[in-house]
Amino acid sequence: ADHGISFQLGEPARNPSAANLPEVTWTPLLVKYPHQTQAHVDDRRAESIDVLPTVADVLGAKHAGPFDGISLRHLPRTDGTGRMYPWSWRPTARDLVPPDGRGYVDVDGPKGFARVLEARAAPDGTDQALRVYQRGRFGALVGRPVAAFGRGPTGSATATIQHLERFDHVQPKAQNVDWAFSYGGISGVDIETPLAVASNGRIIATTAAQLPTNGTAPFTFLVPPTLLARGRNHLELYVIRGSMPNPALVPVPVRAA
């Protein structure tokens, strides 16, 4: 994978923090060997520098000099302390900061990977088509009708959503779903304010306001294809007030960015 990403509320998305290391540091490497017909999961540590020597080993290719990495078909590399180079885009107060004179932070490999194995992609016992989207404090709202919840008075918040036109011609079973990941900005709310996105009278996503920039807090959301209708889908945005199981929804005016 290109990189890891964290969906934890209040944690940086890609920069390393004490809480998000299992999500941003360990990324999957998928390999399909020639004539391979059975899948196999290998939890050994691999690095990007191991890809080229693995390809050369499989092909039996000759090379001029030694590789920086090792072939993944041979003995595994030692899993110890690793290095994480922070991505400096929009750093937050929760970022792990490298010591003076060093551009990386040390990561405990075995301890961190143990946390990776303990994680779950989605809650158990829910609709399999929706459960990967039902993460977070208000994730259980996804799939439920807006009419099932009380309404709060409209406040001063306003919002924009990028590329709203993507929802004008939805094909739920299409192979290319450019509306599946969407983002926008909201003003007039505090950081970490929970939000709900609805379409056709049903909540299709929950998210939260992130660290504001110039008075506007960005937010992102993932949309389950099963909750969208074919054709045009009108999106609505709500601030979530109160707590589960019966929060109130406060409408937020939305326009295209």
Side-chain angles (χ1 to χ4, degrees):
D2 181 15
H3 56 77
I5 191 167
S6 172
F7 292 98
Q8 290 192 53
L9 183 61
E11 295 297 330
R14 290 173 64 176
N15 266 9
S17 72
N20 74 10
L21 277 178
E23 296 171 301
V24 304
T25 307
W26 285 267
T27 58
L29 171 65
L30 307 181
V31 176
K32 167 63 172 68
Y33 290 116
H35 312 298
Q36 180 183 355
T37 59
Q38 297 294 324
H40 173 67
V41 177
D42 189 341
D43 283 338
R44 295 181 301 169
R45 176 176 173 175
E47 297 184 0
S48 58
I49 56 175
D50 299 335
V51 174
L52 180 58
T54 301
V55 172
D57 186 15
V58 171
L59 297 179
K62 297 180 180 180
H63 49 92
F67 290 114
D68 292 328
I70 60 175
S71 171
L72 297 176
R73 296 177 46 169
H74 296 168
L75 295 176
R77 63 169 61 254
T78 302
D79 190 7
T81 301
R83 293 177 177 179
M84 181 74 177
Y85 289 84
W87 185 35
S88 59
W89 181 75
R90 195 179 293 170
T92 74
R94 303 193 187 195
D95 289 1
L96 294 178
V97 179
D100 289 341
R102 198 170 69 179
Y104 59 88
V105 294
D106 288 325
V107 177
D108 187 323
K111 183 177 179 180
F113 189 62
R115 292 172 60 189
V116 173
L117 296 180
E118 292 172 357
R120 293 294 178 267
D124 295 329
T126 56
D127 186 336
Q128 291 189 4
L130 295 181
R131 65 182 185 178
V132 72
Y133 303 92
Q134 295 175 323
R135 297 297 304 269
R137 182 159 55 113
F138 293 98
L141 300 182
V142 174
R144 299 184 62 183
V146 173
F149 304 96
R151 299 291 185 94
T154 302
S156 59
T158 59
T160 60
I161 294 180
Q162 298 282 341
H163 305 299
L164 271 176
E165 71 279 1
R166 292 176 176 173
F167 294 89
D168 289 341
H169 307 283
V170 169
Q171 297 184 40
K173 295 184 178 180
Q175 291 184 339
N176 182 12
V177 288
D178 55 1
W179 37 261
F181 174 75
S182 298
Y183 54 97
I186 184 169
S187 59
V189 300
D190 296 328
I191 185 175
E192 300 187 7
T193 295
L195 307 170
V197 183
S199 178
N200 310 313
R202 190 172 297 274
I203 297 173
I204 62 173
T206 59
T207 182
Q210 299 299 316
L211 184 69
T213 301
N214 299 324
T216 300
F219 62 90
T220 60
F221 57 97
L222 298 173
V223 181
T226 56
L227 294 185
L228 292 181
R230 180 178 295 276
R232 188 173 186 274
N233 290 258
H234 176 69
L235 264 58
E236 299 173 337
L237 184 68
Y238 299 90
V239 168
I240 303 174
R241 299 295 187 195
S243 58
M244 293 294 288
N246 295 305
L249 303 178
V250 180
V252 177
V254 176
R255 59 180 176 82

